[in-house]
Amino acid sequence: MGISSAKFLRAKLALLLIGGAVFGSATGAVADTYPSRNISAIIPFAPGNANDVTARIVFEQLQKQLGQPIVIESKPGAGGTIGVGQAAKAAPDGYTVLFHSATFSASYVTHKWLPYDTLGDFTAVSPVGISPSVLVSSPAKGYKTVADLVAAAKANPGKLDFASAGIGAASHLAAEKFNIAAGIKTQHVPFKGPVEAMAELMAGRIDYYFLPLAAAIAQIKSGTVTPLAVSSDKRVAQLPDIPTTAEVGYPAAAYAFWNGLFVPVKTPQDVVAKLYQETQKAVADPIVKERLDKVGVQPLVMTQPEFQKYFEADVKDTDKLAQAAGIQKQ
């Protein structure tokens, strides 16, 4: 190697070292100053949806802690996939976040094509909460217990109907998981949304429906539906007299509807860490906890890496459930 070549290599190495130092300093500076402007929060459902309500409660507190406005962008359509697709294309800088739920996993198994890579395009930042569903029936049907419902289903294979808010919705998956655990076969009747599904149940044209806890409480107290069980591992404080699906003999029927915060996959880890810490702090706030409790959301506490693994496992478990239930991709 000539002297000139050696000098050139030393000069190039020096520039690389200086560049690395500058980059490291810049990264640290970003972490120290984040966020310095508005954060866009994409919610892939229409305003008023259970996921939307939970998100707004948390973001109201989170923006106070971060000192910057969080601008909510409702992007409904195609089962939430339109909003998720938009979030996947956002710059990975922490200024676009996605608030999603168990429907994220469901979309993976109910859509033939998605405008994003479910497991490759996002980092799971922080869990927020988990909501059990309540198995309710029409008073007109006369079922008083889960045993009554199961007995009727076994005596009339394929003749009982269950409602859902659409193919792949939490109400659909919860019912399919229950059916498999109980060993029964019934007819799935998907509706455009929970309002239509509930109307048909109350009219007596549907036998049963897995209703989100928050919506179930009012209907149960009014007597318009008959509660049979809560789809969770333990009883919920709002309905202390209603047994869990495990207590009535079907521990494998528990279905959890979770929600949490996500960002594009290449978002800097220090930004991810800050969003995690602040989100957990917001969820732990006494006022936020009280508001979440009123809408049936229970705390879901885990580290950021644990939430990432939880999400990945949920996608795989939901895929297995869909295959077992014979749910076809649309």
Side-chain angles (χ1 to χ4, degrees):
M1 179 183 294
I3 296 176
S4 59
S5 297
K7 287 182 177 179
F8 173 77
L9 288 176
R10 284 197 294 271
K12 186 175 181 179
L13 179 59
L15 287 172
L16 288 173
L17 291 173
I18 292 171
V22 171
F23 176 77
S25 299
T27 302
V30 169
D32 291 339
T33 59
Y34 173 83
S36 59
R37 55 186 170 87
N38 292 0
I39 295 174
S40 174
I42 294 177
I43 301 176
F45 301 102
N49 174 277
N51 197 58
D52 175 80
V53 172
T54 301
R56 290 174 187 273
I57 291 173
V58 175
F59 286 146
E60 184 178 326
Q61 175 61 28
L62 186 58
Q63 66 181 355
K64 294 178 183 177
Q65 295 171 193
L66 293 174
Q68 294 291 344
I70 295 179
V71 181
I72 293 176
E73 295 185 27
S74 298
K75 300 290 181 180
T81 61
I82 291 177
V84 180
Q86 183 170 325
K89 295 180 177 68
D93 55 11
Y95 288 97
T96 297
V97 300
L98 171 71
F99 193 92
H100 214 340
S101 62
T103 304
F104 205 168
S105 300
S107 295
Y108 177 81
V109 304
T110 57
H111 290 71
K112 290 181 179 178
W113 179 85
L114 292 169
Y116 56 85
D117 181 344
T118 304
L119 295 174
D121 284 348
F122 294 92
T123 294
V125 176
S126 173
V128 167
I130 195 165
S131 304
S133 294
V134 181
L135 170 58
V136 297
S137 68
S138 167
K141 299 296 182 178
Y143 308 130
K144 300 298 182 181
T145 64
V146 171
D148 292 341
L149 174 64
V150 172
K154 288 186 175 181
N156 302 278
K159 293 186 178 180
L160 269 66
D161 298 321
F162 73 87
S164 83
I167 296 175
S171 48
H172 179 199
L173 296 176
E176 293 287 10
K177 197 169 187 181
F178 169 75
N179 285 0
I180 292 171
I184 60 175
K185 292 187 179 298
T186 58
Q187 291 294 322
H188 174 214
V189 184
F191 292 92
K192 291 182 179 180
V195 174
E196 294 83 357
M198 176 55 69
E200 290 300 294
L201 180 84
M202 292 190 295
R205 289 186 283 270
I206 293 293
D207 291 280
Y208 63 103
Y209 176 36
F210 275 85
L211 187 66
L213 176 61
I217 295 173
Q219 300 296 344
I220 291 171
K221 289 184 177 179
S222 68
T224 54
V225 301
T226 301
L228 301 180
V230 179
S231 182
S232 61
D233 295 324
K234 59 182 180 180
R235 295 195 183 195
V236 297
Q238 296 90 336
L239 299 171
D241 297 327
I242 307 303
T244 67
T245 47
E247 288 179 303
V248 297
Y250 306 110
Y255 179 81
F257 184 80
W258 55 266
N259 45 42
L261 198 68
F262 295 80
V263 292
V265 72
K266 292 184 180 179
T267 301
Q269 187 56 42
D270 45 8
V271 173
V272 171
K274 184 164 187 176
L275 281 170
Y276 167 79
Q277 293 165 1
E278 294 298 333
T279 301
Q280 288 293 299
K281 181 180 177 182
V283 173
D285 180 85
I287 295 177
V288 172
K289 287 180 68 175
E290 182 179 353
R291 293 179 66 189
L292 289 177
D293 184 65
K294 287 182 178 179
V295 296
V297 177
Q298 303 167 356
L300 183 60
V301 181
M302 59 183 73
T303 65
Q304 187 271 317
E306 287 173 342
F307 182 47
Q308 182 70 47
K309 291 180 180 178
Y310 178 90
F311 171 57
E312 293 170 356
D314 189 64
V315 170
K316 294 175 183 177
D317 289 344
T318 303
D319 191 28
K320 291 178 182 178
L321 172 60
Q323 291 182 37
I327 299 175
Q328 300 296 315
K329 290 190 176 184
Q330 305 298 306

